[in-house]
């Protein structure tokens, strides 16, 4: 059966010579005694003699030499073994090898030679290296390394993978128009500086053009391609002849920058290079976008911190059980309770029951809706009372934010203003009564006269014979009724002069109108003013303070009288009307006087604006403030023909309250 | 005594209580009294009186205007003004030759004013 088969030794030689791996035989001294033809080619040698006779272990460098030595030692001991190592070819190309070393023994089992088969795995190793480098860059992105460090690493990775060129990353400014330095560690610094801040455009070199059009731009020869028109001299000065650049996009396909490869000679890109630049651009895109996101976050946090620093309010973060989790106070020393005391404690362990229950209610409300809930409270400290406003809002499902503002100053001012308003209202009433004093005297003089005259009459009747007892009794009865009449006038005066608290109650504005018209009746007589009333029957009550409402109406009536001083006798007519409409009760005082000067209509309710000869000019301002506290409004209008009408609209008393 | 002489008097005042009181007192003095609530009502009456007790402040025609009107008509009314107003409201319009009583006035002033007017007219 041996016919046709070559001898075993011949077969081995064929196999060895036909192998694409580097096959060598090494003697017991470790010297190369045989090298196949594939080996000559792989090691960039001219002939077998270039290697034969050299010690195999010495071909390896550094740590790989040690590994080779160990492998040889084990093979000499009869063990078949392998390793991966790195060595340089005769022309200086770096190559990785997968080496299998097999001992060759004689018939007695004694090792006489070693067979080494080395396979060139450079491409596989490079791909793995690139993957590892890429992985490292992604880790740097994930761990938040500085953008320029990441991009430099990426550029170096690509440069290492593809010899004979330089890479650069250029960023596009957020304005979308200008180049910014990214990373180009191998490009000359002068070139980097020359293009910094340049505008992108259709002929602005490979990068500027790639960004401008948003697509990969390949220039095989800088000297002829119009893309380099604007920067040709610069490129020539730095020795660039070919350059391709691909845009770096964000996830939303916005151009963030470009990744470019520069070559010293004119040439087209290899498929491998074109693929590499795309991969690198993708990674750069991730890095830049991540960096911008972090930057935005950092800026927003900085802004938030700046806002917090500027806000004088206190902030407390609570969990749904009412436990203080965190706080913010510009000056923690201002807190009435130090943070270490309240943090981790529940609100009712720290705050007085009134406040903690109000806070609890607000928290429940805030948790149930997205609406902020507000409440005010006061606390004693340093013998002083402080007022606070808390605004409680839900942060997320299990956190509540309570923003507490010190409103002590505002509260004090409000209280002062309240007192001042009351004082002013009183003063204004006194002033009004001063104006009315003549009318008052007249109003009192009538019953006083009747009393005195009746008393004289009774004296006379009693001194006559026979005494007319019926007439005497009638005289005394008239004395009593007139005294009561005088008493009523005094009582009205006293009410208006009263400096009391405001007491809201159900008020019939018709009663107010009648009271005021009674008080001013003699004034109308003196001024020859005829008064007409149109009082709506069964007027619904409003919620108000009788004295204040009387004051408003008295003021409006006296203003109306004053405005008609110069009017013809028959024109001196004043009308008081009450109506009800749409939840409001309306009371209007209309005159036939001079009206409101057109240029002052807007100002009539301003303090110290007056059309009257007497008076402080506060009447209408105070009237407005009174009507506002009644939830209503006051309006001044000129009548179509002559005079003016002042109208107060006050909401009806809620039905539930009219028990 | 003048008041023993029965006089024919008119009272013009818009205040019903004052009118009623004057009516009672003047009748107790023995005078005859007619009451008017306004100047217009009085002007329409046409009776002659020994004296008219006339309120100055009246709705419509007032006391002073009533006097002017009658003077313009060539008549001279024997008048006593009564008023509840102070000087500043009356101004300079009140004639000094007419006795003027400020409400409330006492009986003696009223008697003195009446006798002055009636005496000067008789």
């Amino acid at each position: 059966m041996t016919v046709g088969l070559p001898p075993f030794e011949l077969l081995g030689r064929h196999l060895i010579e036909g192998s694409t791996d580097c096959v060598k035989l090494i003697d017991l001294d470790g010297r190369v005694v045989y090298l196949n033809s594939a080996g000559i080619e792989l090691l960039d040698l001219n002939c077998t003699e270039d290697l034969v006779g050299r010690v195999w272990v010495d071909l390896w460098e550094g740590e790989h030499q040690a590994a080779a030595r160990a492998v040889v030692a084990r093979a000499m001991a009869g063990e078949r073994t392998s390793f991966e190592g790195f060595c340089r070819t005769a022309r200086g190309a770096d190559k990785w090898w997968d080496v299998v070393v097999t001992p060759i023994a004689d018939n007695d089992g004694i090792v006489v030679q070693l067979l080494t088969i080395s396979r060139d795995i450079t491409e596989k190793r490079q791909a793995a290296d690139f993957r590892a480098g890429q992985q490292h860059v992604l880790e740097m992105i994930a761990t938040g390394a500085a953008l320029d460090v990441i991009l430099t690493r990426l550029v170096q990775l690509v440069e290492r993978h593809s010899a004979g060129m330089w890479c650069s990353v250029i960023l596009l400014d957020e304005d979308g128009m200008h180049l910014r330095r990214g990373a180009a560690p191998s490009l000359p610094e002068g070139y980097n500086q020359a293009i910094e801040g340049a505008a992108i455009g259709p002929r602005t070199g490979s990068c500027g053009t790639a960004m401008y059009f948003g697509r990969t731009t390949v220039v095989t020869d800088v000297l002829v391609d119009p893309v380099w028109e604007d920067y040709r001299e610069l490129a020539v000065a730095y020795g660039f002849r070919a350059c391709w650049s691909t845009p770096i996009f964000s996830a939303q396909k916005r151009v963030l920058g470009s990744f470019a490869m520069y070559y010293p000679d004119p040439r087209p890109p290899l498929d491998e290079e074109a693929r590499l630049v795309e991969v690198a651009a993708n990674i750069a895109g991730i890095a830049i976008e991540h960096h911008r996101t972090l930057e935005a976050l950092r800026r927003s946090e900085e802004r938030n911190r700046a806002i917090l620093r500027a806000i004088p309010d206190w902030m407390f973060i609570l969990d749904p059980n009412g436990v203080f989790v965190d706080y913010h106070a510009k000056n923690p020393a201002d807190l009435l309770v130090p943070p270490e005391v309240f943090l981790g404690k529940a609100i009712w362990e720290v705050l007085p029951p009134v406040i903690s229950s109000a806070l609890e209610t607000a928290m429940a409300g805030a948790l149930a809706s997205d609406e902020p809930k507000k409440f005010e409270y006061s606390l004693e400290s340093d013998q002083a009372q402080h007022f606070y406003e808390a605004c409680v809002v839900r942060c997320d499902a299990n956190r509540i934010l309570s923003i507490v503002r010190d409103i002590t100053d505002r509260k004090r001012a409000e209280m002062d203003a309240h007192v001042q308003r009351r004082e002013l209202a009183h003063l204004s009433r006194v002033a009004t009564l001063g104006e009315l004093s003549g009318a008052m005297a007249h109003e009192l003089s009538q019953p006083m006269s009747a009393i005195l005259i009746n008393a004289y009459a009774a004296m006379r009747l009693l001194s006559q014979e026979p005494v007319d007892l019926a007439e005497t009794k009638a005289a005394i009865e008239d004395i009593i009724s007139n005294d009561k009449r005088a008493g009523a006038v005094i009582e009205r005066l006293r009410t208006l002069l009263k400096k009391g608290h405001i007491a809201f109650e159900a008020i019939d504005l018709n009663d107010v109108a009648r009271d005021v018209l009674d008080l001013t009746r003699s004034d109308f007589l003196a001024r020859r003013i005829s008064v007409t009333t149109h009082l709506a029957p069964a007027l619904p009550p409003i919620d108000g303070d009788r004295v204040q409402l009387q004051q408003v109406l008295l003021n409006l009536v006296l203003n109306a009288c004053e405005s008609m001083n110069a009017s013809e006798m028959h024109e001196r007519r004043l009308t008081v009307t009450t109506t009800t409409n749409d939840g409001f009760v309306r009371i209007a005082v209309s005159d036939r006087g001079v009206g409101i000067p057109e240029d002052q209509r807007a100002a009539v309710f301003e303090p110290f604006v007056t059309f009257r000869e007497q008076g402080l000019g506060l009447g209408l301002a105070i009237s407005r403030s009174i009507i506002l506290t009644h939830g209503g409004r006051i309006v001044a209008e000129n009548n179509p023909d002559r005079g003016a009408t002042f109208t107060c609209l006050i909401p009806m008393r809620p039905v539930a309250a009219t028990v | 005594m003048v008041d023993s002489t029965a006089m024919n008097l008119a009272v013009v005042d818009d205040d019903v209580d004052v009118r009623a009181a004057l009516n009672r007192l003047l009748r107790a003095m023995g005078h005859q009294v007619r009451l008017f609530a306004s100047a217009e009502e009085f002007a329409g009456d046409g009776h002659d009186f020994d004296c008219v007790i006339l309120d100055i402040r009246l709705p419509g025609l007032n006391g002073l205007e009533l006097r002017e009107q009658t003077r313009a008509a060539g008549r001279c009314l024997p008048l006593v003004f009564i008023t509840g107003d102070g000087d500043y409201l009356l101004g300079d319009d009140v004639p000094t030759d007419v006795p003027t009583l400020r409400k409330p006035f006492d009986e003696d002033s009223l008697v003195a004013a009446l006798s002055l007017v009636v005496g000067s007219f008789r």
Side-chain angles (χ1 to χ4, degrees), chain A residues 212-272:
Chain A
Y212 183 79
F213 290 117
R215 60 167 188 253
T216 299
T217 302
V218 175
V219 173
T220 54
D221 191 347
V222 164
L223 289 189
V224 296
D225 200 307
V227 159
W228 276 87
E229 212 163 83
D230 298 353
Y231 291 91
R232 190 164 289 137
E233 283 175 31
L234 189 69
V236 171
Y238 286 100
F240 307 136
R241 281 300 294 274
C243 178
W244 31 94
S245 179
T246 199
I248 298 169
F249 289 110
S250 71
Q252 284 76 39
K253 287 288 161 217
R254 203 160 58 84
V255 175
L256 301 173
S258 67
F259 193 101
M261 291 178 172
Y262 291 78
Y263 292 84
D265 302 306
R267 63 190 291 261
L270 304 175
D271 287 350
E272 161 71 9

Side-chain angles (χ1 to χ4, degrees), chain A residues 189-411:
Chain A
E189 181 57 20
Y191 177 76
N192 290 339
Q193 278 177 12
I195 62 169
E196 167 70 20
I200 62 170
R203 281 179 298 276
T204 52
S206 302
C207 291
T209 308
M211 287 188 227
Y212 183 79
F213 290 117
R215 60 167 188 253
T216 299
T217 302
V218 175
V219 173
T220 54
D221 191 347
V222 164
L223 289 189
V224 296
D225 200 307
V227 159
W228 276 87
E229 212 163 83
D230 298 353
Y231 291 91
R232 190 164 289 137
E233 283 175 31
L234 189 69
V236 171
Y238 286 100
F240 307 136
R241 281 300 294 274
C243 178
W244 31 94
S245 179
T246 199
I248 298 169
F249 289 110
S250 71
Q252 284 76 39
K253 287 288 161 217
R254 203 160 58 84
V255 175
L256 301 173
S258 67
F259 193 101
M261 291 178 172
Y262 291 78
Y263 292 84
D265 302 306
R267 63 190 291 261
L270 304 175
D271 287 350
E272 161 71 9
E273 288 161 351
R275 204 177 50 75
L276 194 60
V277 77
E278 295 291 336
V279 170
N282 273 339
I283 297 172
I286 294 168
I288 296 165
E289 199 165 24
H290 186 70
H291 170 78
R292 295 216 168 142
T293 309
L294 285 180
E295 268 299 291
L297 196 66
R298 191 183 56 75
R299 276 201 296 268
S300 135
E301 272 179 8
E302 241 169 44
R303 205 161 46 231
N304 287 350
R305 271 198 297 276
I307 291 168
L308 279 181
R309 277 199 302 277
I311 288 180
D313 300 349
W314 297 336
M315 294 183 201
F316 301 96
I317 298 198
L318 299 147
D319 73 10
N321 300 319
V323 174
F324 286 99
V325 177
D326 201 357
Y327 78 103
H328 162 81
K330 196 178 171 189
N331 186 3
D334 291 343
L335 291 168
L336 301 188
V337 179
E340 59 270 22
V341 172
F342 67 77
L343 283 178
K345 292 261 178 56
I347 50 174
W348 50 84
E349 294 176 275
V350 181
L351 296 166
V354 187
I355 301 168
S356 66
S357 67
L359 182 53
E360 214 169 352
T361 309
M363 280 172 55
L367 276 174
S369 73
D370 279 333
E371 292 297 306
K373 302 289 171 203
K374 284 188 178 180
F375 67 97
E376 290 184 6
Y377 62 92
S378 70
L379 275 175
E380 298 268 343
S381 82
D382 318 330
Q383 283 85 48
Q385 190 165 31
H386 283 259
F387 292 89
Y388 300 97
E389 182 190 72
C391 179
V392 180
V393 65
R394 183 178 61 174
C395 303
D396 55 52
N398 50 15
R399 285 288 182 272
I400 295 146
L401 175 66
S402 171
I403 303 166
V404 176
R405 176 169 297 181
D406 189 328
I407 54 164
T408 308
D409 291 344
R410 193 184 87 197
K411 274 279 171 196

Side-chain angles (χ1 to χ4, degrees), chain A residues 434-439 441-443 445-454 456-458 460-461 464 471-472 474-476 478 481-482 485 521-526 528 569, chain B residues 1 3 13-18 20-30 55 57-62 65 83-86 88-89 102-108 110-111:
Chain A
E435 290 173 43
L436 266 182
S437 62
H442 186 266
E443 201 60 20
S445 73
Q446 305 288 29
M448 298 292 285
S449 301
I451 290 165
L452 194 56
I453 295 164
N454 273 307
Y456 286 127
R460 257 179 205 275
L461 289 165
Q464 287 169 356
E471 188 64 6
T472 310
I476 293 168
D478 280 0
S481 73
N482 275 286
R485 183 180 155 192
R521 192 180 42 186
S522 52
D523 209 39
F524 295 140
L525 275 181
R528 310 303 207 70
M569 218 57 84
Chain B
M1 284 288 286
D3 71 274
D13 197 309
D14 64 320
D15 191 292
V16 64
D17 290 332
V18 173
L22 280 171
N23 186 35
R24 182 173 288 129
L25 177 63
L26 294 169
R27 284 183 188 281
M29 288 175 177
D55 192 15
R57 183 187 287 198
L58 288 168
L61 205 60
N62 71 24
E65 286 162 344
T83 180
D85 289 328
Y88 78 96
L89 267 180
R102 296 281 155 76
K103 291 175 182 176
F105 47 83
D106 64 22
E107 195 184 39
D108 293 345
L110 178 62
V111 170

Side-chain angles (χ1 to χ4, degrees), chain A residues 568-573:
Chain A
E568 291 295 321
M569 218 57 84
H570 69 278
E571 284 283 11
R572 297 189 183 184
R573 294 202 306 272

